[in-house]
Amino acid sequence: NSASHWQTKQIALKKLLFLALYMKNFIAAREYALLLMKEDERYEQMWNEIQDLLDLIKSKISNRKDDIILYWLDAIPYGGECDMPYLKQVMNKSVVFENAFTNIGYTNPTMRAMFLCKRDIEDRVYSITDITQENSPVLRLLKEQGYVVKAISGHFGFNFPDQCSQAAIDWMLPASVQYWNVLSDMLLDERKTLWIAHTLDAHRPFLNQRISDENYKNKRELHKLAKRGLDEQLAFYDQMICDNAVRIYMSDHGQDAIYKYHVLFCIYHKLLQPRKIEGLFSYIDFGTVLKQLLIEGNINEKKFEREYVEIGNLDYYNYD
């Protein structure tokens, strides 16, 4: 905006447009295309073709059934959905677990709690590097119900069978790329699938396109902007998904010790009655909830509510 000559501004806009498309950030791409088409009508044609492609993708996957999308929103604690209007809107029509807790407030221990149904320390699963059919009741349940599991992440410190390659995925890729990978996989694979779409956009260092010379030192403001950016991508890609899918919106931990364990967890399906579950829920019982969804098509909190939940903390070496 500060460039005085259109030619100078055009060079910058073309670069930004290319980067946005490379990152599958179609929200930003449309913004830059609209600015460019003011002076060059070819960009209007370009954007119309992109929109036609997006509409075709949505149409192609519209008849999929029984998919499960697990939106793993890293580092957003319970209540952290403020500044995320789309997620708040989703929660208003979902089953919201008001008191969901992880066992240990880090990413990999949370995954182990959910898929191994065990505690990292007491059950000595902290050293497990592969989550397999043999050690995971959740994977066995999914296989029995005809599902495969695809983990779209470069951050998990272990492997799943039948997953998308993590080695080729950079751990700091933006949510737009991760969600695009889910859509691409839906087009290529017709099997019933549980996708784990793990995004780090709201995690430190809060990288987002709204960083500027004025706000880059303000961590609170950067976190707010990062959450807004993530929410926009979630809204864009979530509306592309078939309405038959089960959507799970969850987090693994908060940003600091005080809010580290109380996590965001809610489930949406068009046939589920929206409500709030007030009882205590541990991620160790994730498999119980998933089994209810797959077999009974409903959620009965009496089967998993606890009088108390156990939390723990591993010794952690900070290399900084």
Side-chain angles (χ1 to χ4, degrees), residues 77 102 105-106 252-263 313:
T102 189
Y106 295 107
D252 46 3
H253 59 80
Q255 297 287 347
D256 52 51
I258 298 175
Y259 301 106
K260 208 169 190 68
Y261 301 95
H262 193 184
V263 291
N313 196 33

Side-chain angles (χ1 to χ4, degrees), residues 110-125:
T110 293
M111 178 63 83
R112 286 191 287 267
M114 293 172 67
F115 280 79
L116 300 178
C117 308
K118 292 183 177 180
R119 303 161 299 176
D120 249 40
I121 302 170
E122 292 86 343
D123 298 318
R124 298 183 178 277
V125 295

Side-chain angles (χ1 to χ4, degrees), residues 56-114:
L56 179 61
I57 292 171
K58 186 174 181 178
S59 174
K60 289 282 187 182
I61 62 176
S62 63
N63 294 322
R64 291 186 64 94
K65 295 180 179 179
D66 304 319
D67 288 328
I68 305 171
I69 318 294
L70 197 157
Y71 290 110
W72 188 301
L73 310 174
D74 203 299
I76 298 180
Y78 172 81
E81 69 278 1
C82 59
D83 309 309
M84 301 180 73
Y86 176 74
L87 182 55
K88 289 172 68 176
Q89 174 187 329
V90 167
M91 292 175 71
N92 288 335
K93 57 181 182 179
S94 302
V95 177
V96 179
F97 292 63
E98 294 281 276
N99 288 291
F101 288 83
T102 189
N103 178 242
I104 291 181
Y106 295 107
T107 301
N108 288 315
T110 293
M111 178 63 83
R112 286 191 287 267
M114 293 172 67

Side-chain angles (χ1 to χ4, degrees), residues 53-291:
L53 176 62
L54 292 171
D55 292 341
L56 179 61
I57 292 171
K58 186 174 181 178
S59 174
K60 289 282 187 182
I61 62 176
S62 63
N63 294 322
R64 291 186 64 94
K65 295 180 179 179
D66 304 319
D67 288 328
I68 305 171
I69 318 294
L70 197 157
Y71 290 110
W72 188 301
L73 310 174
D74 203 299
I76 298 180
Y78 172 81
E81 69 278 1
C82 59
D83 309 309
M84 301 180 73
Y86 176 74
L87 182 55
K88 289 172 68 176
Q89 174 187 329
V90 167
M91 292 175 71
N92 288 335
K93 57 181 182 179
S94 302
V95 177
V96 179
F97 292 63
E98 294 281 276
N99 288 291
F101 288 83
T102 189
N103 178 242
I104 291 181
Y106 295 107
T107 301
N108 288 315
T110 293
M111 178 63 83
R112 286 191 287 267
M114 293 172 67
F115 280 79
L116 300 178
C117 308
K118 292 183 177 180
R119 303 161 299 176
D120 249 40
I121 302 170
E122 292 86 343
D123 298 318
R124 298 183 178 277
V125 295
Y126 49 82
S127 61
I128 287 181
T129 57
D130 295 295
I131 296 181
T132 66
Q133 303 288 344
E134 287 70 32
N135 62 20
S136 172
V138 173
L139 288 187
R140 290 197 296 272
L141 166 69
L142 288 164
K143 183 178 181 181
E144 290 167 2
Q145 298 301 314
Y147 282 85
V148 295
V149 177
K150 303 286 183 72
I152 311 293
S153 171
H155 190 55
F156 297 141
F158 34 70
N159 297 309
F160 289 94
D162 219 5
Q163 68 176 27
C164 295
S165 172
Q166 291 183 29
I169 300 176
D170 189 291
W171 73 285
M172 283 304 290
L173 282 179
S176 53
V177 177
Q178 307 290 52
Y179 297 155
W180 174 263
N181 286 337
V182 173
L183 291 188
S184 299
D185 202 57
M186 285 182 173
L187 291 169
L188 297 172
D189 194 336
E190 296 181 353
R191 295 176 295 177
K192 293 193 300 184
T193 305
L194 165 66
W195 282 277
I196 306 171
H198 174 238
T199 55
L200 284 156
D201 297 49
H203 196 290
R204 293 187 179 92
F206 312 130
L207 299 177
N208 70 89
Q209 69 188 73
R210 296 180 177 86
I211 294 176
S212 68
D213 291 339
E214 288 72 37
N215 64 27
Y216 76 97
K217 291 184 178 180
N218 188 334
K219 290 298 193 324
R220 187 183 296 274
E221 180 65 17
L222 285 183
H223 188 207
K224 182 185 297 185
L225 293 173
K227 286 195 292 181
R228 285 179 182 172
L230 173 59
D231 190 65
E232 290 170 357
Q233 296 304 322
L234 184 62
F236 179 87
Y237 279 98
D238 204 17
Q239 59 86 28
M240 299 280 286
I241 304 297
C242 175
D243 201 35
N244 292 318
V246 173
R247 293 161 165 84
I248 302 174
Y249 307 83
M250 52 79 62
S251 64
D252 46 3
H253 59 80
Q255 297 287 347
D256 52 51
I258 298 175
Y259 301 106
K260 208 169 190 68
Y261 301 95
H262 193 184
V263 291
L264 169 74
F265 190 76
C266 72
I267 301 173
Y268 169 79
H269 188 267
K270 63 181 182 180
L271 299 180
L272 284 177
Q273 188 68 28
R275 60 194 176 94
K276 293 184 179 181
I277 294 177
E278 302 287 348
L280 293 169
F281 167 71
S282 171
Y283 270 167
I284 293 170
D285 298 319
F286 171 72
T288 302
V289 175
L290 193 60
K291 185 175 183 179

